[in-house]
Amino acid sequence: MGKPMAREIALDVLLKIEKQHAYSQLALNEAIEKQELKPQDRALITQIVYGVLQWKKRLNYILENYVNSKRKRDDWVNLLLLISIYQKEFLSKIPDHAIVNEAVVIARKRGHQGISGFVNGVLRQYLRQGSPDLSKIEPEVTRQSIIYSHPEWLINQWTDDFGKEAALNICKANNQPPTMTIRVNTLKQSKSELINQLSKEGIEAVEGELSPYALVIKKGRILKSPLLQEGAFTVQDESSMLVADSVHAKPGMRVLDACAGPGGKTSHIAELMENQGEIVAFDLHKHKTRLIDQHANRLGLSIIHTMALDAREAQTQFKNESFDRILVDAPCTGLGVIRHKPEIKWEKKNTDVERIVKIQQDIIQQVAPLLKKGGRLIYSTCTIDKRENEKVIYDFLSKNSEFEWEQEGMAHLPKKIKNNLIDDQSMVQILPSDYGTDGFFICCLRRKKA
């Protein structure tokens, strides 16, 4: 059997994501690293995988105009057709004959003559007749859902939360190619030094837009850089980097990171503490605490101590008022990171939000007594659903009169996000459409001294 073609590798990745619920980033990286591929093939596979996941609803709508919906098709056949339609709709440099020929070869290789004939017939009819007119779809939310390829419930929720224009801007941002950003380990070198070191490896990096610790990778295979294993940097989105700034833990403090896996924010806090003091890092799963430990070792950090523990049981292990800072980077629906994980929008349901809000409320309620008087509690998520964010905080404050808003944590964030501040300037909501970063929520509270 010959070496798999780029489109065939993309098909396998998409099947793994759909059938095994694999994370797109991990499945894609794993598949690409297995093969000796030319840079253009790696780029095409990445484009196809993310593109089909992003535009899945729109692509399916187009396909349904050319197939009998009652005819049962294998998942791989359906995905192969979506891959082909995606190339025609969004990749202008690929000629029609190449789209059809490659699909037919893959269909013949994986199936039988009947399947390859079916694929050939569907694609040739689609290329002759073109896409249906999407502008005539009614009602409006269904039309938007298909054009922007997002579930209707998400568009309705974001419209309620942020308004119609903002909701559509979020959808547009989610369909943009994801950006690769890294966080410089300031204990080892400066940003400019790291830029120069990466340049010698053929990797082009420029300063980020939001975080003072961020570099955006413009060119090169950053995950292959020896500097990664040497602890010079961590792969992390810029919005996520702002959490450690808001924690603003000083050297010598004792910090609790209540939902720490896999350790990106934990290690950033340790770096900003100059590796002096103590960070206790919980995660429910043992394999994630191992990841935190590996992360800390790679970065040269010795102050992080991990525990496999449900944060809701924190009071069984620690005394009240024993931490200077507590971070609750709560489990959430992840609806702010759709650009990096487009499969999320198809997997999550409205009922998932309701279920996870109860967990978030329980966690923050259980860890709060562990904070010293005058200490800072930071609550953050990578979602943009107000029920998981502001409403969780309002609920907490209504039940805990010894806590109040804390603006000082926000003062350490970049000035450009002042327009994202909510209420007493103690909460910030970044949308995916704001800065080309992930959507993120951060809130700072203080336990009253008296």
Side-chain angles (χ1 to χ4, degrees), residues 5 34 104 171 204 227 261 267 301 334 364 385 413 422 441:
M5 300 178 289
K34 275 184 182 176
V104 169
C171 293
E204 182 186 348
L227 291 166
S267 60
L301 301 169
I364 192 171
D385 194 298
L413 300 183
I422 309 165
F441 175 82

Side-chain angles (χ1 to χ4, degrees), residues 176-202:
Q176 293 299 310
T179 305
M180 174 68 85
T181 54
I182 62 173
R183 185 191 82 230
V184 61
N185 182 354
T186 50
L187 296 178
K188 299 211 171 200
Q189 75 280 288
S190 67
K191 269 199 304 188
S192 58
E193 286 169 338
L194 183 55
I195 289 172
N196 290 333
Q197 290 169 336
L198 291 172
S199 178
K200 291 173 184 174
E201 298 178 7

Side-chain angles (χ1 to χ4, degrees), residues 294-322:
Q294 291 166 12
H295 212 45
N297 290 336
R298 180 180 64 81
L299 294 165
L301 301 169
S302 58
I303 66 168
I304 298 170
H305 303 115
T306 58
M307 293 181 68
L309 184 73
D310 187 328
R312 291 169 290 188
E313 298 174 4
Q315 291 184 48
T316 65
Q317 300 293 321
F318 295 94
K319 294 179 181 177
N320 287 351
E321 300 182 31
S322 54

Side-chain angles (χ1 to χ4, degrees), residues 240-264:
S240 177
M241 295 179 204
L242 301 180
V243 174
D245 283 322
S246 62
V247 173
H248 199 64
K250 296 167 186 173
M253 281 188 169
R254 192 174 193 225
V255 178
L256 172 62
D257 189 345
C259 311

Side-chain angles (χ1 to χ4, degrees), residues 115-129:
I115 291 177
S116 63
F118 169 72
V119 168
N120 183 57
V122 170
L123 291 179
R124 290 195 181 281
Q125 185 186 6
Y126 156 67
L127 290 171
R128 278 196 308 272
Q129 297 181 21

Side-chain angles (χ1 to χ4, degrees), residues 213-244:
Y213 313 103
L215 294 178
V216 179
I217 306 304
K218 294 294 188 181
K219 188 178 73 174
R221 301 178 71 184
I222 191 66
L223 297 179
K224 285 289 188 181
S225 170
L227 291 166
L228 176 60
Q229 292 310 316
E230 292 168 17
F233 62 85
T234 296
V235 176
Q236 189 179 15
D237 186 79
E238 279 198 73
S239 294
S240 177
M241 295 179 204
L242 301 180
V243 174

